[in-house]
Amino acid sequence: MNWSMTRTRLGTITASLAFFCILMGSSMPGQSASAAESAATPEPGKRFAAVLRVRGEVAASASGSGAGIERKLHEGDLVYVGERVRAAALAEAVLKTEDAGFVAVRPSTEFVAERFVAEDQPTDSLTLRLVTGSLRVISGWIARTNRAGHLVVTPNAIIGIRGTDHEPYVLSAELAAATSNKEGTYDKVNRGGTTMEVGENKLDIDAGRVGFARAAATDGKSGVKGRALMTILLPVLLDKVPNFYVPGEFDAELDRYSQTADEESQRELEQRRKTSRAAPGMAPASAAVGECAPTKIATTWLGQLDAAIARHDAKAVIAMFAPEAAVRATVRGTDGTMTSVDLGREELAQSTIAAMKGLESYKQRRVWTEGKLANPAAGTACDRIISLRSVVIEQGRQGGKPYRFESMEEYLLELRDGKWLSIKAETTQQ
């Protein structure tokens, strides 16, 4: 393989040494795409979630003095409690909540995270107000710490959970007419169970079933007496899944997450307990192993790298590598042979900047991630991760040509002046 060909493919891989962090998630810093959007970004408040996937126009707007000013959401951006999130007709997104849950935002949807407290206390709570459209909600650790406080509020019903992956849907009059369904609130349960409440009436919905609460008539022409009206407004189980329930672009990934969601949220909760005295992902040099969570640090670091790539921010990518960093990329040629190229930080910078210019439609997901400390012996400082390993699948267009890679990434991280830097990195195309 000649150097020019290697460098082209290497540029793509090094530009994507890094999403989804979607499996494990991370506390990724949010940045807007323009000065106008930055001006609309709310002052840092209570975090609700980070954007892990997004397609099309999904925006958030603050309440209060900033009401009505929208900022377009990008992968890596943060969403705050009280913000109204809106997805356009052909748009959707996946948010990773601070309690290690997921909220998938479907097309033509508006919702607000009205209340969110995830402090590993019995007072933890989550209240999502679904204005219109649909969400897919995979519960995080709040389902353990305070299940009764995990609610989805709609115009027609309140939906509680029983350890859950479910899809509440507020069907508007227009869409109801277009799909030959009834206007109101629906809830499809994929795993676990939910409880739909209308007034004092409750309906338990098990996995594989759909509950429905009819919208009340507002035109005064129902012609139904009070008692009869209350009867027809009771929540009921449907015989089949309505035709408007269709999988989203990211549902295949969400299906995989859902299978291990309970275990992963519990694992992250336990790691939070271990690192409760340290900033997320930034354990101080004096922290002992017992207070350190290497896999959490690893996923956070990768999340920051992924977010920088999603923003096409080459400077931010380079800043995550130490000056003496050594990078090796091993790529597969058209004849199947593997070729390795070693780069220093300066060459990495040049390749990254060049690749960013031609990188389009970039998408990726991490299959798994793990981090290991240099010496797990008791009392060892949490300042060096000798093995950060992650399998990533990436695709997009580079220089106008489509590509798709599956790679194994390995890093060696050191904590320097409160920041984790990579001093060694290797990516191998699978």
Side-chain angles (χ1 to χ4, degrees):
M1 180 183 296
N2 60 45
W3 167 250
S4 61
M5 180 178 179
T6 301
R7 190 175 182 87
T8 298
R9 301 198 67 185
L10 175 61
T12 301
I13 295 178
T14 53
S16 49
L17 278 171
F19 163 59
F20 183 171
C21 271
I22 215 161
L23 262 179
M24 301 300 164
S26 66
S27 303
M28 297 181 291
Q31 291 193 13
S32 303
S34 67
E37 289 177 354
S38 295
T41 302
E43 289 296 319
K46 183 182 289 294
R47 294 183 180 184
F48 164 60
V51 181
L52 296 179
R53 286 288 198 191
V54 65
R55 174 178 67 87
E57 183 182 327
V58 181
S61 58
S63 58
S65 60
I69 303 176
E70 289 191 335
R71 59 188 178 97
K72 187 175 180 181
L73 295 177
H74 304 83
E75 291 177 358
D77 284 353
L78 294 176
V79 177
Y80 298 89
V81 176
E83 286 193 294
R84 178 177 292 249
V85 177
R86 177 190 61 82
L90 299 178
E92 52 188 305
V94 176
L95 312 180
K96 176 69 180 294
T97 62
E98 292 289 301
D99 71 327
F102 295 90
V103 176
V105 187
R106 306 301 201 187
S108 301
T109 292
E110 289 189 24
F111 84 97
V112 179
E114 291 190 334
R115 180 175 175 80
F116 183 76
V117 180
E119 299 175 348
D120 188 20
Q121 299 293 328
T123 53
D124 285 356
S125 63
L126 168 61
T127 300
L128 303 179
R129 181 170 294 278
L130 180 57
V131 180
T132 188
S134 179
L135 303 172
R136 180 172 177 180
V137 181
I138 301 175
S139 57
W141 77 59
I142 292 176
R144 290 182 176 79
T145 54
N146 184 19
R147 179 177 297 179
H150 196 296
L151 303 171
V152 176
V153 179
T154 79
N156 317 115
I158 297 176
I159 302 170
I161 66 164
R162 292 179 282 146
T164 305
D165 172 355
H166 69 122
E167 300 179 50
Y169 203 127
V170 174
L171 193 69
S172 66
E174 294 76 15
L175 189 55
T179 60
S180 299
N181 289 283
K182 297 175 182 177
E183 179 186 0
T185 293
Y186 297 76
D187 192 41
K188 180 167 77 75
V189 178
N190 302 316
R191 178 179 58 83
T194 63
T195 299
M196 180 177 284
E197 298 184 27
V198 178
E200 297 181 355
N201 302 290
K202 297 183 179 181
L203 174 71
D204 288 338
I205 310 168
D206 296 323
R209 303 302 302 273
V210 179
F212 169 64
R214 183 193 298 263
T218 58
D219 58 6
K221 300 179 181 180
S222 64
V224 182
K225 295 181 180 180
R227 180 174 296 180
L229 178 60
M230 287 303 299
T231 299
I232 67 171
L233 292 181
L234 293 178
V236 297
L237 289 174
L238 302 182
D239 294 330
K240 60 181 181 180
V241 178
N243 57 359
F244 52 78
Y245 272 108
V246 294
E249 179 173 337
F250 309 118
D251 269 32
E253 291 175 326
L254 289 168
D255 289 343
R256 290 190 289 271
Y257 307 150
S258 183
Q259 293 175 9
T260 59
D262 293 342
E263 293 83 356
E264 290 299 335
S265 63
Q266 181 62 34
R267 182 186 61 78
E268 292 200 26
L269 178 57
E270 292 172 353
Q271 290 181 344
R272 174 189 172 91
R273 290 167 177 168
K274 292 178 181 179
T275 59
S276 60
R277 296 182 181 179
M282 294 294 176
S286 59
V289 174
E291 302 172 355
C292 185
T295 297
K296 177 64 175 179
I297 295 171
T299 55
T300 297
W301 188 87
L302 288 173
Q304 293 168 347
L305 186 61
D306 292 346
I309 292 171
R311 298 192 307 270
H312 287 201
D313 190 343
K315 183 179 295 185
V317 172
I318 300 305
M320 299 185 69
F321 291 80
E324 74 277 18
V327 179
R328 167 171 289 191
T330 301
V331 297
R332 188 185 306 278
T334 54
D335 59 356
T337 60
M338 305 297 288
T339 301
S340 296
V341 178
D342 294 316
L343 302 92
R345 188 172 184 267
E346 207 48 48
E347 289 177 301
L348 173 66
Q350 295 174 8
S351 293
T352 301
I353 292 171
M356 289 292 185
K357 293 179 179 178
L359 187 62
E360 300 175 341
S361 304
Y362 176 73
K363 296 180 180 180
Q364 60 115 265
R365 71 177 174 87
R366 293 194 174 277
V367 180
W368 60 267
T369 299
E370 68 174 7
K372 295 182 180 179
L373 296 176
N375 185 351
T380 301
C382 180
D383 58 4
R384 186 178 174 88
I385 296 178
I386 62 168
S387 178
L388 188 172
R389 302 172 71 234
S390 183
V391 172
V392 60
I393 298 175
E394 305 160 280
Q395 64 184 49
R397 299 181 68 85
Q398 177 66 26
K401 297 180 179 180
Y403 72 90
R404 184 182 185 279
F405 294 131
E406 179 174 343
S407 307
M408 166 68 80
E409 299 176 357
E410 300 183 66
Y411 302 87
L412 192 159
L413 302 183
E414 282 190 357
L415 186 64
R416 298 183 180 180
D417 297 325
K419 182 178 181 180
W420 288 97
L421 298 177
S422 174
I423 60 175
K424 184 178 180 181
E426 183 170 353
T427 179
T428 304
Q429 186 180 351
Q430 302 295 293

